[in-house]
């Protein structure tokens, strides 16, 4: 299984809502990532988890709250978002960094619209 | 700071014509290099990668890329494109072993015309 799955595919939420994005992989990868991608731009790294612990937070606003409940699952909790947070949110996973390289496998993304 | 440059934001090309998408990176150390393809409203799919060894790497759908250390380039080529190759192509670099973070280029939109 070389697939990263993400749910939901689309999400529309108001600025006062609380919602969660989910990501799952069964490749045995111990590193998992959240990215934000705006139209016609490359993905921007938000968070990295390594061994289920937060390893990198790219100064993301606290209205985005990541969670890694186990080695296969990654969540992104959303609260009090702004319209400018509307984007495609991508999850990825990889082996841990090492001499063999750590290519990232991406999920299909969640298209988020904040009204 | 490390950077990846994709000079061409858009490349229109007729079907069955050859294409080259350019990628240059700035790094003085060994790097890992990747090309990803993104179809509309989808995630990124790995097209090919260079980690070490042969400088010419190939994908299963006819793309190839050559790592040129002296020119710090990793250009993507295909001898004959299809309509279905229309997509956004991103070059990415891991600037040194042991790091998590990709450095992405700004992307090249390949549009194949009938």
């Amino acid at each position: 299984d070389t697939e990263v799955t993400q749910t939901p595919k689309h999400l529309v939420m108001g600025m006062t809502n609380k919602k969660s994005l989910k990501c799952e992989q069964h490749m045995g990868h111990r590193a998992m990532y959240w990215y934000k991608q705006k139209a016609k731009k490359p993905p921007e790294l938000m968070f990295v988890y390594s061994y289920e612990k937060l390893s990198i937070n790219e100064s993301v606003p606290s209205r985005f709250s990541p969670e890694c409940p186990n080695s296969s699952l990654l969540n992104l909790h959303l609260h009090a978002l702004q319209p400018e947070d509307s984007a495609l949110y991508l999850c990825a996973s990889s082996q841990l960094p090492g001499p063999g390289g750590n290519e990232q496998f991406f999920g299909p993304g969640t298209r988020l619209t904040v009204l | 700071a490390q950077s990846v440059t994709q000079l061409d934001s858009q490349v229109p090309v007729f079907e069955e014509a050859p294409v080259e998408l350019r990628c240059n990176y700035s790094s003085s150390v060994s790097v890992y290099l990747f090309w990803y393809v993104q179809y509309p409203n989808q995630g990124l799919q790995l097209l090919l990668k260079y980690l070490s060894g042969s400088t010419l790497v190939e994908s299963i759908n006819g793309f190839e890329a050559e790592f040129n250390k002296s020119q710090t380039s990793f250009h993507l080529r295909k001898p004959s494109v299809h309509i279905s190759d229309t997509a956004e192509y991103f070059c990415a670099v891991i600037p040194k072993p042991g790091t998590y973070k990709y450095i992405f280029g700004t992307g090249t939109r390949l549009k194949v015309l009938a």
Side-chain angles (χ1 to χ4, degrees), chain A residues 17-42:
Chain A
N17 293 157
K18 285 185 180 181
K19 296 287 185 184
S20 296
L21 309 184
K22 297 185 183 303
C23 173
E24 188 167 5
Q25 58 90 13
H26 294 288
M27 293 178 277
H29 291 164
R30 301 311 297 270
M32 296 187 76
Y33 310 72
W34 280 116
Y35 287 88
K36 173 183 178 180
Q37 186 181 28
K38 299 287 251 183
K40 302 187 190 301
K41 298 288 187 183

Side-chain angles (χ1 to χ4, degrees), chain B residues 10-113:
Chain B
Q10 291 189 73
V11 174
V13 62
F14 284 104
E15 194 173 18
E16 298 183 6
V19 70
E20 178 179 83
L21 307 183
R22 295 179 292 169
C23 173
N24 289 87
Y25 64 93
S26 65
S27 175
S28 59
V29 297
S30 297
V31 298
Y32 301 136
L33 296 145
F34 307 86
W35 275 101
Y36 282 86
V37 59
Q38 186 175 32
Y39 299 102
N41 298 311
Q42 294 188 27
L44 277 68
Q45 300 174 31
L46 181 68
L47 200 53
L48 40 75
K49 62 184 177 184
Y50 172 79
L51 303 179
S52 64
S54 173
T55 57
L56 184 65
V57 290
E58 298 175 352
S59 73
I60 57 173
N61 55 357
F63 283 95
E64 64 178 32
E66 185 160 19
F67 170 57
N68 188 320
K69 188 173 183 178
S70 63
Q71 296 185 10
T72 58
S73 69
F74 191 53
H75 300 332
L76 182 69
R77 302 184 184 96
K78 189 170 185 180
S80 176
V81 295
H82 304 287
I83 295 286
S84 59
D85 293 323
T86 294
E88 190 82 25
Y89 291 79
F90 292 101
C91 182
V93 170
I94 295 177
K96 58 181 181 179
T99 60
Y100 288 99
K101 294 171 65 170
Y102 277 177
I103 299 173
F104 279 100
T106 49
T108 297
R109 170 88 174 143
L110 174 63
K111 187 169 176 61
V112 181
L113 308 169

Side-chain angles (χ1 to χ4, degrees), chain A residues 88-107:
Chain A
L88 182 68
Y89 288 83
L90 295 165
C91 174
S93 70
S94 77
Q95 301 284 2
L96 295 172
N102 48 308
E103 66 185 82
Q104 295 180 24
F105 293 78
F106 286 82

